[in-house]
């Protein structure tokens, strides 16, 4: 059984008017119960909506976010928190990045730590910020 944690950029890509075919094909092959998002992803999406200027586009995104196809509803029961276990993984990953001379992005490392602490593979199009992390990139067809 494989469990996948979808990075924020994957959620963003799949909700675009014309999502990448490779991503749609990959997602169609997965069972819904194997797809998760992080609480941070919900926060990042919400922040993006709140930072938009007032207007029709923001209103549409607000309705989507709060509605039945928004992230919290679509992934009900599959939104993974940044908890103590993930916090310890985060600390290790951040320290390893510093020790190797390649500091990590704190936010991307939160995603990675939530994935690792929940036995998930990160699904992302952001390969450079997940070096050394178990990832799959269905937008490019690569895995690590």
């Amino acid at each position: 059984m494989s469990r996948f944690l979808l990075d924020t950029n994957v959620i963003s890509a799949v909700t675009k008017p014309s999502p990448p075919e490779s991503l749609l094909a990959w997602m169609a092959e997965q069972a819904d119960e194997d797809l998760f998002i992080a609480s941070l992803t919900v926060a990042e999406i919400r922040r993006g909506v709140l930072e938009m200027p007032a207007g029709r586009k923001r209103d549409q995104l607000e309705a989507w976010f709060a509605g039945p196809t928004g992230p919290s509803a679509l992934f009900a029961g599959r939104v993974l928190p940044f908890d103590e276990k993930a916090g310890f993984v985060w600390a290790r990953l951040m320290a390893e990045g510093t020790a190797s001379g390649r500091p990590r992005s704190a936010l991307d490392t939160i995603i990675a730590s939530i994935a690792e602490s929940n036995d998930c593979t990160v699904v992302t199009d952001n390969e450079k910020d997940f070096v050394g992390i178990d990832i799959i990139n269905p937008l490019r067809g690569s895995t690590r």
Side-chain angles (χ1 to χ4, degrees):
M1 173 186 210
S2 296
R3 293 165 46 107
F4 300 99
L5 182 68
L6 306 179
D7 191 10
T8 307
N9 61 38
V10 169
I11 297 296
S12 178
V14 83
T15 60
K16 291 191 181 305
S18 297
E21 287 297 324
S22 59
L23 177 58
L24 293 177
W26 180 85
M27 290 190 74
E29 295 172 358
Q30 311 310 313
D32 286 350
E33 61 268 13
D34 294 335
L35 301 176
F36 297 83
I37 60 173
S39 55
L40 177 60
T41 293
V42 177
E44 286 182 310
I45 293 168
R46 182 69 181 144
R47 176 185 169 196
V49 171
L50 293 173
E51 289 180 346
M52 292 189 79
R56 191 184 68 197
K57 179 71 172 167
R58 180 175 171 167
D59 292 344
Q60 290 171 338
L61 285 173
E62 288 273 6
W64 166 77
F65 184 85
T69 60
S72 294
L74 197 59
F75 289 89
R78 295 177 290 130
V79 178
L80 302 175
F82 181 67
D83 57 12
E84 184 178 19
K85 184 177 176 184
F88 285 126
V89 174
W90 179 86
R92 177 181 49 79
L93 292 173
M94 291 296 288
E96 288 172 358
T98 301
S100 71
R102 292 176 27 194
R104 296 180 178 274
S105 156
L107 294 180
D108 288 329
T109 305
I110 288 173
I111 299 284
S113 67
I114 291 170
E116 184 178 317
S117 66
N118 287 279
D119 298 318
C120 294
T121 298
V122 176
V123 180
T124 186
D125 188 31
N126 182 10
E127 296 179 39
K128 68 178 177 55
D129 287 330
F130 288 94
V131 171
I133 305 299
D134 187 21
I135 71 161
I136 184 170
N137 184 348
L139 293 144
R140 288 199 179 96
S142 61
T143 61
R144 259 197 328 225

